[in-house]
Amino acid sequence: QVRLVESGGGLVQAGGSLRLSCAASGSIASISIMGWYRQAPGKQRELVAAIIRGVGTNYADSVKGRFTISRDNAKNTVYLQMNSLKPDDTAVYYCNARSMYDYWGQGTQVTVSS
C-alpha cells in the first residue's frame, strides 16, 4: 500500500510559477514510476510528467521547457516545478505512483488567471 499526499496548488497569474509536492509513504520500494497527471473540467485526465526509475523523465509536449519533475529520495517526495504558467494549465493535479497497482493522491487545484 502506498499513500500519497499532495500540496502546493493555488491561484497564480499567467506567467507565474508554482511548485507542487507529493509525499509518499508505505511500500515505497515497490514504486517504479511516479508522476503527475491533471484533469481540467470536461476533459480526460492526462499525463503531465513522470519519473521512471532507472530510465529518466517524460513530459507532455504541452509542458516541455516549462515544467520540471524531480524526486528527493531522502524525503520520499516528488516535485513538479511549474514555470511560465498559462490559463490552459488550470486543472486539478494528481500525484500517481505505480507498482503492481496504481495509487493516486487526493488532487490539488491549480488555477492560472489571464
Side-chain angles (χ1 to χ4, degrees):
Q1 190 77 9
V2 174
R3 182 169 181 254
L4 304 172
V5 178
E6 300 130 338
S7 60
L11 173 64
V12 65
Q13 288 187 333
S17 298
L18 282 174
R19 189 176 80 157
L20 305 182
S21 299
C22 173
S25 59
S27 302
I28 306 297
S30 66
I31 299 172
S32 58
I33 302 173
M34 288 202 71
W36 290 93
Y37 287 71
R38 67 186 180 188
Q39 188 166 18
K43 295 187 177 181
Q44 290 187 332
R45 191 173 295 190
E46 62 176 359
L47 175 67
V48 176
I51 289 183
I52 306 165
R53 189 172 64 191
V55 176
T57 58
N58 186 35
Y59 295 92
D61 288 343
S62 59
V63 306
K64 283 181 181 176
R66 300 190 297 123
F67 291 10
T68 302
I69 189 170
S70 61
R71 181 172 184 169
D72 186 334
N73 290 325
K75 296 182 178 180
N76 294 326
T77 300
V78 173
Y79 303 97
L80 185 67
Q81 178 66 43
M82 305 185 293
N83 298 328
S84 302
L85 282 161
K86 305 175 182 179
D88 283 349
D89 295 318
T90 295
V92 178
Y93 284 70
Y94 296 91
C95 181
N96 170 265
R98 181 165 296 174
S99 56
M100 286 182 60
Y101 308 99
D102 266 329
Y103 299 94
W104 295 93
Q106 80 281 4
T108 185
Q109 177 70 46
V110 172
T111 303
V112 184
S113 63
S114 57

